[in-house]
């Protein structure tokens, strides 16, 4: 069951429910969805020829007329095993990121931002080993930079934005193993200690590094001037 999630019930669930008996798992009939990778602009959904939802784009700026989505993020997101892209930024969600989100193992792109989100990054995100672009920003999410999650994503992650949250602790050494990383944005947290410049130097693809508005100590490396 979906429960009482206003935005999900109103904008997405009816189209899943009207499809077929497998609707709970992120599929619905082709008559409710265009084939291949054609978006449904009115719903912010993209699906494949089989009717499986592969993208949910419900950012205010992506959908016309724009949504003002609210409520909590539903655990059913984890049942959408074909979901590769989840863009639901710029909406006033509340509560925590559901543990079930880690079950959406096809995810390659994730964008969530809301000042009302709290809790920590779920440990289940370690299962998202295909992740390329991760944006979780502008909330009260606390805890440390998740070592196990970053290690699991080390072969695929290209953009990591964990900015304007309430993260603390130091930058873990695992960051130096993110070989494909091109953008790292961890500004606006409560991170401290010295920045591991030697680790950043290993990131040969790195183009953008944003670490301001933290509590870091030490000096600024000449590496900053070398970034593309």
């Amino acid at each position: 069951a979906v429960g009482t999630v206003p935005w999900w019930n109103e904008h997405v669930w009816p189209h899943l429910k009207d499809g077929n008996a497998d609707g709970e798992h992120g599929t619905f009939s082709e008559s409710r969805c265009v084939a291949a990778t054609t978006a449904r602009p009115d719903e912010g959904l993209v699906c494949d020829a089989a009717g499986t939802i592969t993208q949910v784009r419900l950012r205010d700026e992506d959908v016309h007329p724009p949504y003002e989505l609210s409520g909590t993020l539903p655990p059913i997101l984890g049942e959408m095993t074909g979901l590769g892209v989840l863009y639901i930024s710029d909406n006033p969600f509340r509560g925590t990121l559901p543990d079930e989100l880690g079950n959406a193992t096809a995810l390659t792109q994730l964008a969530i931002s809301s000042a009302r989100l709290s809790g920590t990054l779920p440990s289940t995100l370690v299962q998202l080993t295909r992740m390329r672009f991760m944006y979780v920003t502008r909330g009260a999410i606390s805890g440390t930079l998740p070592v196990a999650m970053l290690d699991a994503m080390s072969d695929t992650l290209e953009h990591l934005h964990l900015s304007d949250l309430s993260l603390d602790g130091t930058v873990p050494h695992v960051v130096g193993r993110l070989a494909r990383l091109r953008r790292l944005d961890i500004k606006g947290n409560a991170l401290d200690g010295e920045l591991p410049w030697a680790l950043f130097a290993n990131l040969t693809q790195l183009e953008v590094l944003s670490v301001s508005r933290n509590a870091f100590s030490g000096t600024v490396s000449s590496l900053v001037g070398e970034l593309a």
Side-chain angles (χ1 to χ4, degrees):
V2 185
T4 56
V5 183
W7 66 272
W8 188 261
N9 285 345
E10 181 178 354
H11 299 297
V12 178
W13 181 245
H15 306 293
L16 300 178
K17 185 171 62 176
D18 292 346
N20 51 44
D22 198 35
E24 292 185 15
H25 302 282
T27 63
F28 57 120
S29 65
E30 290 184 63
S31 64
R32 299 295 303 167
C33 185
V34 265
T37 56
T38 305
R40 295 179 63 94
D42 56 330
E43 295 160 5
L45 305 181
V46 177
C47 53
D48 62 19
T52 300
I53 295 178
T54 59
Q55 299 185 31
V56 174
R57 296 176 179 270
L58 296 174
R59 296 175 60 188
D60 269 355
E61 63 188 60
D62 288 343
V63 182
H64 302 282
Y67 296 138
E68 179 69 14
L69 308 179
S70 60
T72 56
L73 295 169
I76 198 175
L77 287 171
E79 297 184 26
M80 302 177 70
T81 54
L83 188 65
V85 176
L86 179 61
Y87 280 180
I88 48 178
S89 294
D90 306 316
N91 289 288
F93 299 120
R94 57 180 170 78
T96 61
L97 296 178
D99 289 340
E100 291 82 356
L101 186 60
N103 296 329
T105 55
L107 274 175
T108 62
Q109 300 181 44
L110 173 66
I112 300 175
S113 67
S114 171
R116 300 176 66 187
L117 283 176
S118 57
T120 60
L121 293 170
S123 60
T124 55
L125 297 186
V126 71
Q127 299 172 121
L128 304 182
T129 57
R130 302 181 186 181
M131 187 65 64
R132 295 176 57 207
F133 305 105
M134 184 174 187
Y135 302 81
V136 180
T137 62
R138 299 202 308 275
I141 292 175
S142 59
T144 58
L145 289 171
V147 173
M149 183 194 80
L150 295 177
D151 189 46
M153 299 176 182
S154 61
D155 291 334
T156 58
L157 199 60
E158 298 178 31
H159 289 195
L160 177 62
H161 291 240
L162 299 175
S163 60
D164 297 303
L165 301 172
S166 298
L167 301 177
D168 57 20
T170 59
V171 176
H173 284 193
V174 68
V175 169
R177 297 200 295 272
L178 303 178
R180 295 178 179 269
L181 198 65
R182 293 189 286 120
R183 292 174 176 266
L184 176 61
D185 184 352
I186 51 175
K187 68 177 180 291
N189 285 287
L191 299 169
D192 56 20
E194 291 195 10
L195 284 167
W197 296 111
L199 295 179
F200 293 151
N202 295 333
L203 305 178
T204 58
Q205 305 298 314
L206 193 64
E207 300 171 355
V208 175
L209 175 64
S210 183
V211 297
S212 63
R213 291 187 287 114
N214 280 287
F216 293 123
S217 58
T219 58
V220 175
S221 170
S222 59
L223 172 67
V224 173
E226 298 173 5
L227 296 178

